[in-house]
Amino acid sequence: MTPDTAHPDETAQEQVDLDNEQAAVDPALFEKQPVEPPFARTVHTTPLHLLISAESRTNRWTEWNGYTVPDVLTDLGDEYRALRGAAVLADHSPLVKTRISGRDATDYLQRLVTRDLSSLAVHAAIPVIFCEGAGLVLGDGILFRLGDEEYRLVTEETHLAWMTESALGFRVRIEDVSATLAMLSLQGPLSAACLRDAGVKDIESLAPFAACWADIGGMPVYVSRTGASGDLGYELWADVEDAPHLWRRLMSKGMSHGLRPAGFALRELARLEAALPRAGRDYLSAFAAVMSGDAATPFELWSAPAISLNKPVFNGGRALRRLADKPPRRRLVALVAEALEPVALSTVLSGTRPVGTATTAGFSPALGANIALALVETSALDGSLSLTGRRREGLSTQELVLPARIMEEPAWKMARGSAFPAALGL
Amino acid sequence: MERHDAIVIGAGLNGLVAAACLARAGLSVLVLDRASAPGGIACEHEVAPGYRLPRFTLGSGGLPPRIVADLDLPRHGLRFIRAEGGVTCFPGGEYHASYRDGVVQRREIARFSRVDADAFTRYRRDMLRAARVLAPLLAGPARPRRKGLFAGLRARLAKADRISAMAPADLHGLLRLATLPASEFLDSYFESPHVKAHLAAAAMMGATLGPCSPTSAARLVLPWLETAGDAMGGAPETLMPVGGPAALVSALRSVILAAGGQLRMEAEVTDIRIKDRKVQGVVLANGEEIGADAVFSGLDVKRSFLSLFQWKDLPEGLVERVGRVCMRGVAAKLNIALDAAPDFPGLPEGCPSLGGGLRLAAEIPAMQRAYDDWRARIPPRNPLIDVFIPSFLDPSLAPQGGHVLSALVQYVPDVLHEGPWSAERRKALGDLVMTRLAEVSPGMEKHVVAFEVLLPDDIENEIGLTGGDFSYGATTLDQLFFNRPFPGTGGAETPLRNFYLCSPSAHPGPLVMGGAGANAAAALLAAKRKEART
């Protein structure tokens, strides 16, 4: 919306002659907006950037989906303690949001994603996977049902071409609404309490993966109980122009609960502790993988992937039915390596044979150990594994081989994350 | 009589690469060229005092890294500039640029279509996969090695096994790429006509195919051959040697001299002495004879066989086979010197992609019509113009403030339907190109210091390239790989012993700069090693 249209000039409105067909129109409406050439701003920012950059004490930034976002705002340890002990607020606007609407929206999505959506109620969300014809994963995300014939798919990367191609024969409208929608992620055990104080009524009665419209300080906000932290958490979807006000209001109301802003590094760490793979990091979309080994099937990435094989027709269905019968060649597993200090982990070894790669690795404060998500050959999973790591001390680099074991449970998975009603205190 | 291990006829880029490889392997090498300076079609030309640019070629492109490393060229002063992929300007004033950065590239495509911006990821994946299939074919001779009956059989079975092991979708993708017209192939990825025309225009340069001709899709992969990178990367980049192709030539020359080789300019070879189908040496225009164990020809295949030998000495059928090789000029070259930087008001200010060149192209159907005109030998009405302004990247090529502009005009027939090019037709072509240039850069015509049009015929007369064909033989699939220059060759060896073809007429042709020269040198060295063993 241009400033001219947001605040129409009232004197000009009085001059409009209703009988005149050639009505006077604000010419600014039809002026071609100069398009900024893509190369001119390699720093692409979210609507919350100015606000968040004021919070940065470290000047550490990173790139996420083409946007410049804070990596760490104050201190990763402090942010982590807030996440696990109180609540953190982060800007997740770079996620790709696609709106799917139309008479055939449900049928279309049943075709697109692998799981059955017939139980998905309005104002509910569900994690989904979608595959191409050979059963390789294109992406995964969260699907929200906003109305009878309206959905929103939130993914890490854009899939517009595939989604448009799959829509042939369906009466649906597919739009990328990423730029019109900001997303604030409020995660942590006290996040419900923060929202209650910010003015959301009955927040504790919002079930996991449910969503509702709320009024926060006069702003319409879509609140969903979702998130990738393995704990209680909410995501708030708001208009880009409201987002900064929403951020400020949440920060001021949540102050007493210890709410802190957090950056991208904490999101990655929480995701790693919750053992959730991320597209572009732990696997490549089948359309982006130049080497075919970089793409993966859902059975390799998730131990119990959300696939309804008895659904009659869906993209990749035939290949997935074939793949479901045999054990996957490799598996994405969460490994823990016994070493106290943070070490950069890289290759998974079985004896001396490389059997996999650590795709995401980090130091988990919850376990006090180095953990990693790694794609490992299935045949090696029964034997003893080790991880190669590197530690720098001064100028010297130490190459380490650390004994590793597979974690059966994620490093952080709290019952309160799925408790109903949600806990308002610790 | 003077005698050398090897004589290279023609000091073009490939001849120099071959000579440098041989000299570094310890052979005594002599390079002969009738011109006064080395370079062949890459030779430097002063279009006006102080304005230097390659006379016949566009001036972009670099040697593959393996040749640069093998010949130790950086030690001899060779540096490359890596520029962005280039801009295409459309008649309506629209433009579409290529960027190396994946995010910027996708945002650029999203100006036309957001769906296409996402589809670019899949297009890039398929191009890189195809480039990986092609790379081993282009890295050496394309002839299957015959190692005896069983070994050959095993090799073939292994190849059949590899093909049958490919996923049907992958095999289908490769077949589509090898057989479809570029327009249809691009239709399966993109919806925006501008995005498609931008990709097609870059691929069609130098081709005797139009974007709607079958098999032209295979050319789309050419810009990706040297590209590697992460999954979400952008468009391929353009390479240019610092100082232009002349720097490439002088670095190669310096390698040859340092390794004890010799170059003799203004020495035209008129004849090759032959005895029992074995080459003995060469005869120069002044009557001097020089003996050699091996002779390398950097000339195109027609000139190599038809003008250097007595036809009666050649094995039976060779003259006919060489005669059937299709060599037709498709492009005219324009060299322009400007006394001020050209301004492009239609492009955003400071567009970095301009360094990689500028293409004046129409949408695909119009491009195909330009190609149809060429087939009917009609003078170009709406040509595809590839402009490269090397002085943007390297200001030393022009005097202070000035610029040099190279333009290749695509789909220019060597002979018109009405007969040879007349003076009026030639002037009309120059005017047409200048008008098109002035459309994207108004006022450019006022800054022209020098202007020169080289038609395919001029190129043939001046440098001796048959038909003025910069590809040294059409790069259609029937004249590539093991069919280049004629069926059953696929390498530098010829039906004559000790006579090697090191020009792009031989595999891998113009697809890899310097590749033919390196292949030819490798062939002789392998033969020498084999000889030493027995």
Side-chain angles (χ1 to χ4, degrees):
Chain A
M1 204 179 270
T2 61
D4 312 65
T5 56
H7 308 286
D9 193 340
E10 283 174 16
T11 53
Q13 269 184 353
E14 285 166 7
Q15 289 166 358
V16 172
D17 176 7
L18 291 174
D19 295 331
N20 186 1
E21 283 177 28
Q22 307 281 313
V25 185
D26 181 4
L29 275 177
F30 295 94
E31 252 171 39
K32 221 176 166 184
Q33 293 288 315
V35 183
E36 195 170 46
F39 66 83
R41 193 168 70 181
T42 32
V43 180
H44 215 56
T45 55
T46 69
L48 288 161
H49 184 78
L50 279 180
L51 207 56
I52 293 174
S53 54
E55 306 271 2
S56 175
R57 302 282 172 270
T58 55
N59 200 23
R60 280 170 60 185
W61 303 88
T62 186
E63 198 223 3
W64 179 17
N65 234 343
Y67 290 89
T68 301
V69 293
D71 196 31
V72 177
L73 282 171
T74 48
D75 175 80
L76 188 57
D78 290 350
E79 288 175 21
Y80 181 82
R81 278 192 295 280
L83 169 70
R84 295 311 187 200
V88 296
L89 188 62
D91 173 21
H92 287 183
S93 300
L95 284 170
V96 177
K97 290 140 268 179
T98 317
R99 180 175 178 269
I100 298 138
S101 56
R103 264 195 273 179
D104 291 344
T106 308
D107 292 341
Y108 162 70
L109 284 165
Q110 287 280 28
R111 168 71 70 90
L112 185 75
V113 306
T114 55
R115 83 182 305 160
D116 189 26
L117 301 175
S118 47
S119 60
L120 182 63
V122 175
H123 294 315
I126 201 167
V128 293
I129 307 166
F130 41 102
C131 298
E132 42 89 276
L136 295 171
V137 179
L138 288 173
D140 66 302
I142 306 282
L143 181 69
F144 291 86
R145 186 165 192 176
L146 306 178
D148 279 339
E149 294 174 349
E150 191 184 353
Y151 292 84
R152 181 190 298 145
L153 180 58
V154 182
T155 50
E156 191 72 34
E157 298 165 319
T158 171
H159 298 282
L160 210 53
W162 174 252
M163 289 170 70
T164 320
E165 211 173 291
S166 311
L168 280 178
F170 292 97
R171 285 164 296 183
V172 287
R173 188 182 161 87
I174 297 162
E175 298 156 281
D176 187 336
V177 293
S178 308
T180 63
L181 199 60
M183 197 267 259
L184 275 65
S185 173
L186 178 66
Q187 304 287 326
L190 293 181
S191 50
C194 291
L195 277 178
R196 182 198 54 197
D197 290 1
V200 184
K201 290 190 196 77
D202 292 337
I203 185 66
E204 63 276 13
S205 62
L206 193 67
F209 284 105
C212 65
W213 280 101
D215 183 306
I216 301 182
M219 291 171 280
V221 179
Y222 196 63
V223 181
S224 63
R225 191 169 158 191
T226 47
S229 61
D231 203 330
L232 181 63
Y234 297 87
E235 289 175 325
L236 298 103
W237 312 80
D239 194 275
V240 288
E241 277 159 30
D242 289 346
H245 306 287
L246 180 61
W247 174 281
R248 265 192 230 112
R249 189 176 170 88
L250 284 169
M251 286 309 294
S252 65
K253 298 289 176 191
M255 190 85 82
S256 55
H257 296 292
L259 179 68
R260 294 181 74 108
F264 186 70
L266 185 68
R267 179 185 190 253
E268 282 292 274
L269 181 56
R271 172 184 76 80
L272 176 63
E273 285 197 333
L276 298 167
R278 173 174 157 230
R281 184 74 200 250
D282 297 299
Y283 70 96
L284 292 184
S285 157
F287 287 158
V290 178
M291 278 176 296
S292 47
D294 290 345
T297 68
F299 301 104
E300 291 171 346
L301 294 177
W302 292 276
S303 52
I307 302 174
S308 307
L309 289 172
N310 42 12
K311 201 161 74 161
V313 181
F314 62 97
N315 288 346
R318 257 198 301 174
L320 289 176
R321 276 185 204 106
R322 213 169 42 239
L323 287 168
D325 295 338
K326 31 187 184 192
R329 207 165 46 79
R330 21 172 224 175
R331 285 270 317 279
L332 187 80
V333 290
L335 295 174
V336 54
E338 302 301 348
L340 273 180
E341 285 174 66
V343 182
L345 302 172
S346 49
T347 312
V348 186
L349 302 173
S350 169
T352 53
R353 188 170 67 95
V355 289
T357 314
T359 47
T360 309
F363 186 78
S364 160
L367 297 184
N370 290 285
I371 60 170
L373 281 176
L375 262 176
V376 183
E377 287 174 21
T378 320
S379 56
L381 287 178
D382 298 332
S384 66
L385 296 174
S386 49
L387 270 162
T388 63
R390 187 172 295 145
R391 184 169 52 199
R392 283 208 67 157
E393 236 181 333
L395 292 178
S396 62
T397 311
Q398 234 182 321
E399 300 278 350
L400 307 166
V401 177
L402 307 168
R405 62 183 170 77
I406 297 170
M407 283 190 284
E408 298 305 332
E409 278 286 297
W412 190 275
K413 193 178 181 187
M414 281 292 169
R416 64 179 173 226
S418 50
F420 181 75
L424 286 170
L426 280 174
Chain B
M1 186 176 69
E2 186 181 344
R3 197 167 174 83
H4 294 272
D5 290 336
I7 287 178
V8 179
I9 305 170
L13 201 58
N14 278 286
L16 292 176
V17 168
C21 293
L22 295 171
R24 279 175 66 89
L27 274 58
S28 80
V29 182
L30 173 66
V31 182
L32 299 169
D33 197 299
R34 68 174 187 178
S36 55
I41 65 166
C43 71
E44 188 165 74
H45 173 57
E46 250 189 337
V47 64
Y51 293 90
R52 299 179 294 135
L53 80 179
R55 178 129 203 228
F56 302 102
T57 57
L58 203 56
S60 59
L63 295 172
R66 86 191 136 90
I67 296 183
V68 173
D70 283 356
L71 295 179
D72 211 3
L73 287 171
R75 280 258 301 263
H76 293 270
L78 185 66
R79 298 286 182 279
F80 285 105
I81 299 174
R82 296 172 171 275
E84 300 277 4
V87 187
T88 304
C89 288
F90 296 99
E94 270 293 352
Y95 80 96
H96 182 19
S98 283
Y99 299 99
R100 278 171 286 190
D101 184 289
V103 174
V104 176
Q105 168 74 3
R106 281 168 184 80
R107 266 185 225 152
E108 170 71 11
I109 300 177
R111 289 197 304 124
F112 298 93
S113 157
R114 304 180 81 149
V115 175
D116 286 1
D118 181 27
F120 180 77
T121 303
R122 186 162 65 94
Y123 178 74
R124 186 175 188 278
R125 175 198 73 165
D126 290 352
M127 287 298 116
L128 287 175
R129 282 190 177 174
R132 281 175 192 217
V133 174
L134 262 181
L137 272 172
L138 295 177
R143 199 170 7 191
R145 290 203 189 94
R146 293 191 202 89
K147 301 174 194 153
L149 178 62
F150 286 104
L153 209 57
R154 255 205 308 278
R156 257 155 238 179
L157 281 174
K159 189 172 272 175
D161 201 41
R162 265 212 308 283
I163 291 173
S164 64
M166 280 174 88
D170 287 349
L171 195 59
H172 181 235
L174 271 186
L175 273 178
R176 281 166 55 82
L177 187 63
T179 57
L180 279 189
S183 57
E184 276 180 38
F185 187 78
L186 290 170
D187 283 344
S188 61
Y189 294 89
F190 304 110
E191 56 178 23
S192 156
H194 292 100
V195 173
K196 288 187 274 194
H198 173 68
L199 293 167
M204 286 312 127
M205 288 314 302
T208 53
L209 295 170
C212 304
S213 318
T215 74
S216 60
R219 297 191 65 88
L220 292 170
V221 77
L222 300 183
W224 299 90
L225 287 175
E226 296 292 339
T227 309
D230 62 318
M232 296 304 284
E237 55 194 8
T238 309
L239 235 66
M240 189 192 105
V242 178
L248 214 55
V249 170
S250 78
L252 284 166
R253 183 170 168 269
S254 145
V255 172
I256 296 169
L257 298 179
Q262 296 172 44
L263 281 98
R264 201 186 299 173
M265 293 294 114
E266 294 177 345
E268 183 177 0
V269 175
T270 53
D271 222 342
I272 296 181
R273 285 268 179 270
I274 189 166
K275 199 172 153 194
D276 308 330
R277 288 180 71 164
K278 197 171 170 208
V279 168
Q280 309 287 324
V282 301
V283 184
L284 301 186
N286 59 10
E288 185 186 345
E289 279 193 39
I290 307 174
D293 291 345
V295 173
F296 286 72
S297 171
L299 315 185
D300 70 70
V301 58
K302 290 192 190 244
R303 225 159 236 271
S304 297
F305 286 106
L306 304 182
S307 77
L308 293 178
F309 292 96
Q310 304 281 323
W311 290 12
K312 64 178 167 52
D313 292 343
L314 292 178
E316 108 182 64
L318 185 60
V319 173
E320 290 83 345
R321 274 199 286 173
V322 171
R324 275 198 293 272
V325 173
C326 171
M327 283 188 79
R328 282 178 75 186
V330 279
K333 171 79 199 291
L334 270 82
N335 297 323
I336 302 173
L338 300 167
D339 61 9
D343 177 36
F344 296 94
L347 299 181
E349 193 156 339
C351 179
S353 193
L354 196 57
L358 177 76
R359 253 168 237 114
L360 311 182
E363 287 171 17
I364 284 184
M367 231 188 281
Q368 179 70 12
R369 280 196 293 279
Y371 166 72
D372 290 338
D373 276 1
W374 174 78
R375 284 183 68 93
R377 299 186 182 280
I378 297 169
R381 293 179 283 190
N382 185 15
L384 173 62
I385 304 172
D386 201 353
V387 178
F388 187 60
I389 308 175
S391 47
F392 276 156
L393 300 176
D394 183 358
S396 71
L397 296 172
Q400 180 82 42
H403 281 276
V404 282
L405 186 151
S406 268
L408 271 182
V409 186
Q410 173 85 343
Y411 302 133
V412 174
D414 44 358
V415 183
L416 297 179
H417 62 94
E418 61 199 12
W421 281 81
S422 62
E424 299 88 74
R425 288 286 196 203
R426 171 191 291 268
K427 185 172 177 312
L429 178 70
D431 291 347
L432 174 67
V433 174
M434 209 56 234
T435 317
R436 293 290 312 275
L437 282 172
E439 276 168 21
V440 292
S441 177
M444 185 193 271
E445 67 279 5
K446 292 187 206 105
H447 296 291
V448 173
V449 178
F451 182 86
E452 144 182 77
V453 181
L454 295 163
L455 295 170
D457 229 21
D458 306 328
I459 297 160
E460 167 154 13
N461 293 339
E462 289 198 23
I463 201 87
L465 183 58
T466 307
D469 180 2
F470 292 119
S471 336
Y472 285 74
T475 48
T476 45
L477 282 176
D478 61 317
Q479 292 200 128
L480 278 181
F481 308 122
F482 40 83
N483 290 327
R484 192 166 184 92
F486 37 75
T489 330
E493 292 98 335
T494 63
L496 303 169
R497 275 176 66 194
N498 301 347
F499 183 64
Y500 297 87
L501 202 57
C502 67
S503 71
S505 274
H507 176 80
L511 306 192
V512 182
M513 265 175 95
N519 274 358
L524 175 67
L525 295 175
K528 283 226 178 266
R529 273 197 302 273
K530 198 173 165 193
E531 212 171 274
R533 272 205 303 273
T534 51

